[in-house]
Amino acid sequence: MADAGIPWLCVTCGTQFRPTPKPPAHCPVCEDVRQFVGPDGQQWMMPSELAATHSARIERVDDRLYGIGTEPEFAIGQRALLVRSGGLNLLWDCTSLMDEATVAGVNALGGVDAIAISHPHFYTAMVDWAQAFDAPVLLHAQDRDWVMRDDARIRFWEGDRHVLNDDLTLVRLGGHFPGGTVLHWQGQSRPEGALLSGDIVQVVADRDWVSFMYSYPNTIPLPAFEVERIATTVAAYRFDTLYGGWWQTIVHERADTKVQRSAERYLAALAGRYHRPPG
């Protein structure tokens, strides 16, 4: 394996890099202000090491929707989602773990026809996933510079909407990253609508609210005009449920209304109108 090179994984963010005999000198994803290099410095792991110490958690989240996570948590700790709708099995976002058990578990659900990813922090081992299922990876072109491992299966789309089928549409919201994307799911299999958001729209501790940030670990907010644009764009879509990027980050009802209400609260806070005196 050393002769061919190792597709090293960044331990902090989970991003996989093109195969090299030695670990990369640095991780541009972590060195960006939206992420961070930990106090112990840059660390790397081989995919074989990850597979030896971690396992996939695959379970039903909702009708036609399955979560795929890693236990114990690795890097950012997100879970991916497998959507089965309109004759398409779409993997939404990715994880760093890809091993035989993961492939078998996902194949038992019908496999993966295509992969779409919300933003670069969740690119992780997308090439391993694409190769394992011979599936295209759909990324927004505005984030192409963050691809750390190239592959012919990666395809870039442009604009603000990319229709996958009658049920599934990729929508560029920007914000956290210029190409930040959410997946709108509405059709015969999901008439009430759902939004899969990663952390482009972030479900917060109070599940009745969401938030929007430029950097989550460094708590850098987005400017008002970006939040206004996100709220206006997503207002065109109906969705009763919103699925964030982690197992528990779900808004279970009236999610479209709650996103708009959350944007109003965010904008009020930026404008200094949200202070409430004690009592």
Side-chain angles (χ1 to χ4, degrees):
M1 188 173 183
D3 292 337
I6 296 167
W8 297 93
L9 295 166
C10 172
V11 172
T12 301
C13 72
T15 299
Q16 189 178 70
F17 284 66
R18 66 179 181 84
T20 53
K22 296 181 179 181
H26 58 96
C27 175
V29 179
C30 284
E31 291 177 348
D32 178 71
V33 71
R34 285 162 287 200
Q35 185 55 19
F36 65 96
V37 177
D40 296 327
Q42 182 65 60
Q43 299 182 42
W44 303 94
M45 180 179 284
M46 294 186 291
S48 59
E49 292 179 283
L50 183 65
T53 55
H54 293 67
S55 60
R57 171 184 171 186
I58 302 175
E59 62 184 53
R60 183 180 181 273
V61 173
D62 210 334
D63 186 36
R64 298 177 179 267
L65 186 67
Y66 294 83
I68 305 168
T70 303
E71 293 190 337
E73 285 190 358
F74 177 72
I76 296 173
Q78 81 277 9
R79 60 99 178 88
L81 290 166
L82 181 68
V83 186
R84 305 170 66 191
S85 188
L88 181 71
N89 272 20
L90 178 74
L91 181 68
W92 172 251
D93 285 332
C94 271
T95 62
S96 300
L97 178 65
M98 167 47 61
D99 59 7
E100 292 182 1
T102 304
V103 173
V106 174
N107 275 333
L109 299 173
V112 174
D113 299 316
I115 301 167
I117 303 180
S118 59
H119 70 293
H121 289 157
F122 293 172
Y123 287 177
T124 60
M126 62 181 175
V127 171
D128 281 353
W129 282 88
Q131 292 177 351
F133 295 100
D134 192 22
V137 182
L138 305 174
L139 308 178
H140 198 279
Q142 289 196 32
D143 293 337
R144 68 190 310 150
D145 290 344
W146 294 102
V147 174
M148 298 296 142
R149 185 183 179 191
D150 291 325
D151 189 86
R153 295 173 181 83
I154 297 175
R155 302 174 186 175
F156 296 100
W157 62 279
E158 299 182 352
D160 292 331
R161 294 175 74 251
H162 183 71
V163 177
L164 301 175
N165 62 18
D166 290 343
D167 294 357
L168 302 171
T169 301
L170 299 175
V171 182
R172 187 192 75 85
L173 292 187
H176 188 37
F177 274 81
T181 299
V182 297
L183 175 68
H184 183 243
W185 176 17
Q186 187 174 28
Q188 186 174 1
S189 66
R190 192 74 185 224
E192 72 277 16
L195 196 73
L196 283 60
S197 69
D199 62 8
I200 302 303
V201 178
Q202 175 75 297
V203 182
V204 296
D206 182 341
R207 300 293 187 257
D208 280 341
W209 298 85
V210 301
S211 194
F212 320 86
M213 295 288 279
Y214 183 72
S215 171
Y216 289 100
N218 298 313
T219 56
I220 303 173
L222 285 172
F225 71 86
E226 276 286 275
V227 177
E228 289 172 345
R229 187 185 53 75
I230 289 171
T232 299
T233 301
V234 80
Y237 299 90
R238 179 189 171 202
F239 49 96
D240 191 57
T241 309
L242 187 149
Y243 300 95
W246 289 263
W247 290 104
Q248 303 303 319
T249 54
I250 302 174
V251 179
H252 286 286
E253 60 183 7
R254 298 187 294 114
D256 46 11
T257 299
K258 291 172 182 177
V259 169
Q260 295 301 317
R261 180 184 66 180
S262 297
E264 292 171 1
R265 181 174 77 168
Y266 194 106
L267 293 168
L270 288 179
R273 299 193 307 270
Y274 200 72
H275 174 70
R276 292 181 178 177

